[in-house]
Amino acid sequence: ILDNDVYQLLDVLKILCAYLVIGIHTRPFQAISITLDKVLYYNISNYAVPFFYACTGYFLVTKQPEKNLHIKLIYRIKKVAKIYLIWSVVYLPLTICGWFVEGNELLQYIFFCIRNYILVGDNFYSWTLWYLNGLIFALIFIDFFLKKMSFEQLVKLGSVVYLIGVILTALGGHQDKLPSILSIPVNIYFSIFATTRNGLFQSLAFILIGMYIANKEKSGELKEILHKGKVLILIYMIKIPVSLVGGGQYLSQMLDLPISYGLFGLIIYECHRIKLKGCFYKKLRNISEMIYFIHMYLIALCAVVLYKENYCNFKSFFICAGISTLIAIVFSFIKERKICNQ
């Protein structure tokens, strides 16, 4: 049985990460300093979504440990698919708005919307939904591959596939400079999947990190991760200047994998040391989820109506963060009232 007070720190970090995602989409420092923008974008905010994925992987193992993992995976896949469908409907007005704004042929637009819904995870200003799409596919992959190989082998496979995804992303912007043997498959891939930001090339590795750390904790080996802390700090210190160099973001993304591993291990270790009590933190969990999913409507407001192509600024950040927080608090209050009235 999980002691919920142990994991209140995760709820605090989740709401912080929700605001970091808003920072990714508004790039507030871009108007002040390109260097500061890159530091925040490639070295701080970029750990927000991997953290969400790692939490999912961690609780897959630690919650209801007596249950078969396959059963838990199927339950989670169905639950996330339902949430993905609901939020896709919520964002349908924006998707329809995108047809008018982008001025595409109707049939072509419908085709790409369906493609994006199934394979990409987002449409016109519904970028956050790729997280759910990636989560569904990654959980399916985990369920499938665990029938074919050991968990340790799957962790290694997930890491290799993540690195391949980074390389594929780097090649994606330079097809004209590649030999035909590479440019043709790269073009085919991006014409179908549009991005490597998906369940195979990104979500899988970070969910497995969470599961791996849960297993390490169960076997009493969590402190081994902390012993590698100095190495991981050194990697992070190397990563920051690398990310600022042209093209260095790809090597920086490769280094994100071991850093995420060490960072999440440290967070789980600190969860057992820093016990925050009170139902306030559970409220934060619900509020952070709503902030994450609803804020793209505010991004669209800033990018399409208020500031257009100049929406990357602090005004956009505070509009999106402030209004989405208010909406999240109101929805949390309504939800609590409904539960109390039942």
Side-chain angles (χ1 to χ4, degrees), residues 23-38:
I24 290 172
H25 294 150
T26 55
R27 305 287 288 268
F29 285 98
Q30 203 171 77
I32 298 174
S33 167
I34 297 297
T35 301
L36 280 175
D37 172 66
K38 285 185 175 182

Side-chain angles (χ1 to χ4, degrees), residues 22-196:
I22 295 176
I24 290 172
H25 294 150
T26 55
R27 305 287 288 268
F29 285 98
Q30 203 171 77
I32 298 174
S33 167
I34 297 297
T35 301
L36 280 175
D37 172 66
K38 285 185 175 182
V39 169
L40 184 68
Y41 187 81
Y42 291 118
N43 302 291
I44 299 174
S45 300
N46 58 306
Y47 294 109
V49 174
F51 170 71
F52 294 144
Y53 281 130
C55 285
T56 298
Y58 178 81
F59 287 117
L60 265 175
V61 175
T62 56
K63 276 189 176 180
Q64 298 177 305
E66 73 283 356
K67 275 193 176 181
N68 180 273
L69 182 58
H70 169 71
I71 294 172
K72 291 194 283 186
L73 283 165
I74 296 301
Y75 172 79
R76 178 60 63 177
I77 290 165
K78 290 178 179 178
K79 184 177 180 180
V80 176
K82 183 180 177 182
I83 296 170
Y84 182 49
L85 178 61
I86 291 170
W87 278 105
S88 295
V89 172
V90 170
Y91 274 97
L92 192 57
L94 265 186
T95 303
I96 295 170
C97 178
W99 175 49
F100 293 100
V101 173
E102 295 179 354
N104 294 326
E105 291 287 335
L106 179 58
L107 290 177
Q108 182 189 46
Y109 189 72
I110 292 173
F111 170 80
F112 281 115
C113 284
I114 295 171
R115 187 278 306 264
N116 292 347
Y117 175 75
I118 297 171
L119 299 177
V120 181
D122 65 67
N123 276 297
F124 186 76
Y125 286 100
S126 61
W127 306 331
T128 51
L129 300 190
W130 85 267
Y131 164 77
L132 294 173
N133 181 281
L135 183 54
I136 293 167
F137 277 104
L139 293 175
I140 291 171
F141 292 142
I142 290 170
D143 189 47
F144 173 79
F145 284 119
L146 282 178
K147 296 171 185 175
K148 311 291 182 182
M149 60 182 71
S150 69
F151 178 72
E152 288 71 21
Q153 289 173 324
L154 180 55
V155 170
K156 292 175 183 177
L157 177 64
S159 300
V160 171
V161 168
Y162 172 81
L163 296 177
I164 291 172
V166 175
I167 294 169
L168 189 56
T169 302
L171 295 177
H174 305 90
Q175 289 99 320
D176 56 326
K177 298 177 183 177
L178 298 174
S180 298
I181 195 170
L182 285 177
S183 64
I184 292 173
V186 168
N187 280 324
I188 291 172
Y189 172 83
F190 282 105
S191 65
I192 297 172
F193 296 98
T195 177
T196 57

Side-chain angles (χ1 to χ4, degrees), residues 39 42-43 47 229-245 251-252 255-256 258-259:
V39 169
Y42 291 118
N43 302 291
Y47 294 109
K230 290 181 180 179
V231 176
L232 293 171
I233 290 171
L234 178 62
I235 292 173
Y236 186 71
M237 297 306 294
I238 294 171
K239 168 186 153 57
I240 294 174
V242 166
S243 69
L244 303 179
V245 179
L251 177 56
S252 172
L255 297 177
D256 283 339
I259 292 170

